[in-house]
């Protein structure tokens, strides 16, 4: 994940964990842009570090579009120079504020995948996602979305779930579908604020004891309930048509497939964050001095990726699980969640437990039956959307229709002797 403009952004989201990171690089306030030398070094090293043929660049911020179109035209040119014909893809996360037809045409020409940040309908989005003068940005995001669709640019949506929208799960979900989103990410908003007067940064790193939960943070159980309400719609109507990242995570785990999200991987440590000056960190959530792996001007990315600190950081995720996590029935899908959120005390009194644990358990318990059924359908050669027919048949049976009908799962048994049990 490359941040060519560091923490520089053109809006002032009230919950942003990254804006204040500019305090770590005070010398760059007047020169915040990634230099041409660092850019070329990064692209050459990143391509060389990939073991497979495909190469993916992820551009984030701050707000990466503030680098301007000439910067990204140079990105494409350098990828052609060092790619040697390999397939190279680009993903760019944006708030959409500065997008115009020229940007949209560029994204379409070079097949950029755009992640658009939007927190739902206008009242929810404009609660925190505002300009520095306090004006809402929802109308600008919607205008950017219209441009992306007009130019047929592939996009997904990223929605932060906090106290401002968590009680409106169905409304948020239906809004995202109505605007054309077919790939949806829900990011739980959990931040802590330093209580020590001497703290350099207001938001604290994981493990910091002198901290209190930020007022905009999401209650753990409510995050699970938010997902549950959306899942109940999705599993009966939208399977195979809409991709919701957390549902993909769950289904992958239930089918014993590799995780699709680092948050729920058994280990971590190789989803690096690159700062504009070439500093490489273990993770975007751990951009603190003690997690600095090195600088790409001194060591190449492949070397840093295989370094002992990177390995130890990743392995610590599984080594530091609480006893409650180790014996949890949902460990296979959760793996303790993101280390950033491990600041709570477990039910049995062990520190270092994931704050979102109650929400995860609430969600996994709720979807267990449907996930077992989807797993069995897939293993029998059916497509995942078959579950919608099965659940619809069950609904008809419950309403008094014939339980002796053949089960829609294709087993050849009567429904009452099969899935109807």
């Amino acid at each position: 994940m490359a941040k060519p403009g560091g923490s520089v952004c053109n809006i002032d989201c009230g919950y942003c964990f990254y804006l204040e990171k500019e305090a770590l690089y005070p010398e760059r306030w007047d020169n915040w842009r990634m230099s041409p030398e660092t850019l070329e070094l990064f692209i050459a090293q990143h391509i060389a570090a990939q073991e497979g043929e495909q190469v993916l660049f992820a551009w984030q911020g701050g707000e990466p579009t503030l680098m301007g179109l000439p910067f990204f035209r140079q990105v494409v040119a350098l990828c052609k120079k060092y790619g040697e014909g390999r397939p190279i893809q680009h993903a760019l996360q944006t708030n959409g504020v500065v997008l115009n037809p020229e940007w949209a045409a560029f994204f379409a020409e070079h097949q950029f995948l755009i992640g658009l940040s939007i927190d739902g309908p206008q009242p929810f989005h404009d609660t925190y996602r505002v300009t520095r003068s306090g004006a809402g940005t929802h109308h600008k995001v919607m205008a950017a979305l219209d441009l992306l669709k007009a130019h047929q640019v592939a996009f997904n949506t990223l929605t932060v779930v906090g106290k401002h929208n968590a009680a409106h799960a169905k409304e948020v979900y239906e809004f995202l579908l109505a605007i054309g989103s077919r790939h949806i990410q829900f990011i739980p908003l959990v931040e802590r604020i330093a209580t020590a007067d001497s703290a350099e940064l207001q938001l604290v790193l994981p493990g910091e004891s002198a901290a209190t939960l930020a007022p905009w943070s999401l209650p753990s159980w409510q995050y699970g309930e938010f997902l549950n309400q959306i899942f109940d719609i999705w599993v009966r109507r939208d399977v195979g048509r809409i991709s919701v990242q957390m549902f993909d995570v769950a289904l992958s785990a239930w089918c014993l497939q590799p995780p699709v999200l680092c948050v729920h991987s058994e280990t971590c440590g190789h989803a690096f964050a690159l700062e504009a000056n070439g500093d490489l960190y273990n993770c975007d959530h751990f951009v603190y001095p003690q997690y600095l792996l090195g600088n790409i001007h001194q060591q190449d990315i492949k070397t840093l990726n295989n370094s002992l600190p990177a390995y130890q950081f990743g392995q610590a995720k599984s080594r530091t699980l609480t006893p409650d996590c180790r014996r949890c029935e949902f460990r296979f899908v959760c793996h303790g969640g993101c280390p950033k959120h491990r600041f709570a005390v477990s039910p049995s009194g062990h520190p270092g437990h994931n704050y979102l644990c109650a929400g995860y358990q609430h969600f996994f318990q709720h979807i267990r039956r449907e996930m077992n059924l989807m797993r069995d359908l897939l293993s029998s050669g059916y497509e995942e959307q078959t579950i919608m027919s099965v659940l619809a048949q069950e609904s008809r049976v419950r309403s008094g229709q014939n339980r002796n009908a053949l089960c829609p799962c294709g087993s050849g048994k009567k429904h009452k002797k099969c899935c109807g049990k």
Side-chain angles (χ1 to χ4, degrees), residues 33-112:
R33 302 170 63 89
M34 178 179 283
S35 69
E37 295 76 21
T38 301
L39 175 63
E40 183 161 4
L41 200 60
F42 165 57
I43 287 178
Q45 290 184 13
H46 183 66
I47 293 173
Q50 306 308 309
E51 295 181 357
E53 271 296 297
Q54 285 196 322
V55 182
L56 172 65
F57 284 88
W59 304 97
Q60 301 234 356
E63 175 51 43
T65 59
L66 292 181
M67 295 298 295
L69 260 178
F71 176 86
F72 285 99
R73 289 197 175 100
Q74 182 65 11
V75 164
V76 171
L78 289 170
C79 285
K80 185 176 181 180
K81 175 181 177 180
Y82 291 101
E84 298 179 344
R86 296 171 69 177
I88 296 178
Q89 297 173 296
H90 296 274
L92 184 144
Q93 187 68 37
T94 178
N95 57 39
V97 170
V98 303
L99 296 193
N100 58 27
E102 191 178 8
W103 273 107
F106 172 83
F107 292 149
E109 179 184 358
H110 299 288
Q111 299 181 317
F112 272 54

Side-chain angles (χ1 to χ4, degrees), residues 270 293 302-312:
H270 302 282
L293 288 173
K302 190 169 186 177
T303 299
L304 293 170
N305 181 44
N306 291 290
S307 66
L308 183 60
Y311 175 80
Q312 290 175 332

Side-chain angles (χ1 to χ4, degrees), residues 122 132 159 169 194 199 269 277 279 292 324 357 370 407:
Q122 181 269 329
R132 297 194 181 278
T159 299
N277 69 339
D279 282 350
L292 176 64
D324 303 63
C357 176
E370 286 82 0
C407 189

Side-chain angles (χ1 to χ4, degrees), residues 385-399:
Q385 53 262 42
T386 307
I387 191 173
M388 295 187 291
S389 299
V390 175
L391 296 178
Q393 173 70 6
E394 289 182 352
S395 179
R396 289 192 290 270
V397 169
R398 282 195 299 270
S399 65

Side-chain angles (χ1 to χ4, degrees), residues 68 93 114 118 246 280 288 302:
Q93 187 68 37
I114 302 303
I118 186 165
M246 270 302 296
L280 195 69
Y288 298 95
K302 190 169 186 177

